Amino acid sequence: MAARVLVGVKRVIDYAVKIRVKPDNTGVVTDGVKHSMNPFCEIAVEEAVRLKEKKLVKEVVAVSCGPQQVQETIRTALAMGADRGIHVEVSGKDYDSLGPLQVSKILAALAKKEEASLIILGKQAIDDDCNQTGQMTAALLDWPQGTFASEVAVEGDKLKVIREVDGGLETIKINLPAVVTADLRLNTPRYATLPNIMKAKKKKITNVKPGDLGVDLTSRLEVLRVDEPPQRQAGVKVETVEDLVGKLKEAGRI
Amino acid sequence: WLKISRYMAPFILPLTRITRRCIRALKAVQTEHVAAQVYTRRCFSAPVPRVTSHYTIYPRDKDPRWEGVDMERFADEADVVIVGGGPAGLSAAIRLKQLANQHEKELRVCVVEKASQIGAHTLSGACLEPTALNELFPDWKERGAPLNTQVTEDKFAILTEKYRIPVPILPGLPMNNHGNYIVRLGHFVRWLGEQAEELGVELYPGYAAAEVLFHEDGSVKGIATNDVGIAKDGSPKDVFERGMELHAKVTLFGEGCHGHLAKQLYKHFNLREGCEPQTYAIGLKELWLIDEKKWRPGRVEHSVGWPLNRNTYGGSFLYHLNEGEPLVALGFVVGLDYTNPYLSPFREFQRWKHHPSIAPTLEGGSRIAYGARALNEGGFQSVPKLTFPGGTLIGCSPGFMNVPKIKGTHTAMKSGMLAAEAIFSKLTDESLQSETTGIYVPEYEQSLKNSWVWKELHAVRNIRPSFHNYFGLYGGMLYTGIFYWILRGKEPWTLKHCGMDSAQLKPAKECTPIEYPKPDGKISFDLLSSVALSGTNHEHDQPPHLTLKDDGVPVAQNLAIYDGPEQRFCPAGVYEFVPLESGEGMRLQINAQNCVHCKTCDIKDPSQNINWVVPEGSGGPAYNGM
């Protein structure tokens, strides 16, 4: 039985907000913009809390990396049922360049430190769409991974995971300790209700620095430029099939 | 007599008030008569498709789908609960905590706010007069309040279709902005929230107050937050959870203009007995990043006239902010007592931007935000009773906006502060003997009437009603010039408003449709791309929060008589009349997810059939410094 579950939660720009590129093209405007927990991370938290309610795990720890504001995201996870939180302090330029490689190093270090036997993450974040952190964390820890999970079941000291793949559904059995990443149909997350938010204020959030975990935050990637996608051009209407073929030939398409 | 009166009316309108009221009453009778006819015809045609599923219209205790569902609520106690985290609510909370800390008393103050973060539902021009802020935080500058743009120039003009006639702003006129700051009110409210948290106020954004709770003696006990997890058809989902009850000795209601709980309180405690109905306007606003060459930080521009006709109250604002980037805040206000159901405030706004004196500022710029909100214009004549056992009303909810100044933030903040002071002395008075369990604080209303808020509102009380004359805008400006600038509002009479805004619409067949130009995609835009910029969203699977008392009325009355004004006055495209699947007739489609919580529909619906209730908390617009 897995004693402790680590759940990673990421604070991202809310999905309904229109994104705007900064005038200097170095990134996206985030100041004052509405943020919320990454939807896949909500599903991950919900799964972890359900495992705890089924008494299959003893403790759920929510982790987030970022500046002071990510504490709100951790509090939401605590209100959904996590027992305690860990805030890994990353801010300024380090936060701008924080990516899956650094986060997976942090999670791997924390998993060892907290003696966690299961890590549940969202399959990807809606701001960068990387879909890398879960896989990298598993590799760094040399743990098996069950990604794109649409169902997770504990069977003794193994985990049965049904994965959503291009061809349909794949069922695998992996040993614990393991990393699982949550896909959309895994569950429907519960609401963080007000009484739970009030109770969550009493739950503990520990602050940790990446240096204390022995993690180097330098990025191997350099963002050169961020641009808006090109405006969609109007289409051209044609009258006959001959016209269509002619236009396609003109454009060098056939 | 009816026909004659309709033809003669334009020629004999400068009549005595009594005759005018007679004509209006006759028109109302005529309207009702027509409505009855249309309605009976409807009764024999296809059944009305069900639009509303909210439990405020279809109670759950009579609904078989809710049998056996646990409806118990968790309850908690605070000393003071404040509904609404806007300038009034936060000022009240801050003042309470300042007094508590000063006198070393423990006071639990909780603020519930429906927006996901403090400031996300705040929208205003805004030129802030720092009088109330100076009283609340004399050291606001050191604390980093985001008042970064001092007003450096003030311009006012009357627009015609092609020209701009500048009007000098003499000192002493209400729209003189010397000493004021152009602010992004959302950011200011966010800063107030941070100050409140530092003082120990418990802020709960993302939780809407959905219900007022009462003690057995009829006094207010507190509020209950919204339930979550109700499906679109009104049935409970797996994730259904009841809201929470917050009980308090006193509850302050600072929901802003036309709050939905305030609407209930007016009825319950008969608070509007001695005052006129509130009148409103809708304000639409955009933020633009403009070409640096056109940027004049600190400039405040207002205009009246085109594109509105002289009998439709309204005007524009354009403020150049000074916060590091060439940002302008611009917008358009239309009085909701307009009479032509074909008027679309959104399209008037988009049309105004093309005026030869405005368009050059915007050319080469890009629009980065859009939003809309109703604002109150009733002023002095429309302030209701402010206190009742267990609670008080603060801010724009009862409505303290100084209309000619176009400022209501300073008076809202002051009302919150006065409420806090009155409540604090009451709560800490050891000899207090309250007749009701919820504490009654009439001292708040007294102190407000003795404060500069009341003097200010009294001085400008006749300016807005002075527009109701044959010359409309020009009559109003003349009146302002004579009676306000020279006499400072000391005239002994108080003019009346016209009655409710919803009763002002003329039937569609008496009015000419307005030909609006198509948006060009560079300066003017279509409605849906504007709504997308507001960042508004709601949990899709919940009952629409725009509830209809009668599902048949929109087609039978609003569409039949007024050509469906809701499809035009809603700044978010919530209301659409679409053909029925059977092909015969129309139905009303409510796109509740688009709603930006402006409250215009609840105000302007001629049948007063739409009742806006609060959706699940954290839904609504995601304004950033609007």
Side-chain angles (χ1 to χ4, degrees), chain B residues 114 121 372-374 536 538 545 595-599 612 614-615 619-621:
Chain B
K114 62 174 163 57
H121 286 187
R373 183 74 169 92
T536 192
H538 295 84
H545 63 279
C595 182
V596 291
H597 298 204
C598 75
K599 315 293 176 66
W612 190 98
V614 76

Side-chain angles (χ1 to χ4, degrees), chain B residues 52-59 547-550 609 611:
Chain B
T52 302
S53 53
H54 202 270
Y55 63 80
T56 49
I57 308 286
Y58 298 102
T547 64
L548 304 173
K549 288 185 208 142
D550 181 334
N609 187 41
N611 192 35

Side-chain angles (χ1 to χ4, degrees), chain A residues 14-18 20 23 29 31-35 188-199 201, chain B residues 74 76 108 116-117 190 204 207 225 228-229 237 239 241 244 246 289 368 532-533 535 537 539 616 618 622 624:
Chain A
D14 188 82
Y15 72 90
V17 170
K18 212 143 202 277
R20 187 163 63 95
V29 176
D31 189 41
V33 175
K34 178 178 174 185
H35 283 69
T188 308
R190 66 195 62 191
Y191 287 87
T193 55
L194 187 55
N196 290 332
I197 288 272
M198 288 180 170
K199 285 188 203 134
K201 291 211 165 167
Chain B
F74 181 77
D76 202 1
R108 184 174 182 208
S116 57
Q117 50 194 53
R190 185 177 64 179
Y204 295 113
Y207 296 96
T225 59
V228 292
K237 293 194 279 199
V239 284
E241 279 207 52
M244 165 178 167
L246 270 173
L289 270 174
I368 61 170
L533 269 186
N537 196 25
E539 159 61 48
E616 277 180 19
S618 86
N624 178 9

